[in-house]
Amino acid sequence: MKTSLLFLASLLSVGAAHAAETSSVKASGAWIRVLPGSLPAGGYLTLENSSDKGVAITGAASADYADAMIHKSSTETGMGRMEMVDKVPVPAKGQVAFAPGGYHVMLMQPKHPVNPGDKVVVTFTLSDGTTLPVTFTAKPANATGP
Ligand SMILES: [Cu+2]
């Protein structure tokens, strides 16, 4: 019984590694805005889809934070607010930007202090079953871009 479970686990991890290699989405300009103390940090980047099939970002996780969510900010009502989104489409042969005032990764409850200059890896889950690990550079609270 124990042996067959181990065998299954190794099969699953091989599958995951293969999936990660075949993602058609590429990340660039990834940075996070670090706020004082344990306030949540916003993560920003550009995602580009080189394939002729649309795909969507469906989740995010980081080993350095207790929780990661995808949010969208808006000022439609004249007041700054943000909401959780289930997925962010990355169109075929197109791109989507996560930027202040729009989509962002909300990184909650840092597990250790994250300081400007630090690197943080966030792994995105895509609707095609692949995963995309992205290295973000931490920037100070007054940063406005990568
Ligand atoms: Cu947010």
Side-chain angles (χ1 to χ4, degrees), residues 9 15-16 24 39 41 50 71 80 88 92-93 98 102 105 118 130 136:
S24 54
L39 286 170
S50 59
H71 280 176
V88 178
K93 304 279 181 198
F98 284 48
V105 187
D118 290 353
T130 63
F136 286 69

Side-chain angles (χ1 to χ4, degrees), residues 67-132:
D67 204 2
M69 292 181 239
I70 297 175
H71 280 176
K72 189 180 187 185
S73 299
S74 71
T75 51
E76 277 160 27
T77 57
M79 278 194 307
R81 42 168 283 158
M82 59 188 180
E83 58 188 353
M84 241 172 101
V85 292
D86 291 337
K87 55 181 179 179
V88 178
V90 192
K93 304 279 181 198
Q95 61 180 37
V96 64
F98 284 48
Y103 289 121
H104 56 277
V105 187
M106 194 100 263
L107 297 162
M108 322 278 286
Q109 300 165 47
K111 292 182 181 173
H112 56 86
V114 175
N115 298 304
D118 290 353
K119 306 281 187 194
V120 170
V121 175
V122 176
T123 300
F124 292 96
T125 310
L126 281 72
S127 57
D128 62 2
T130 63
T131 54
L132 178 69

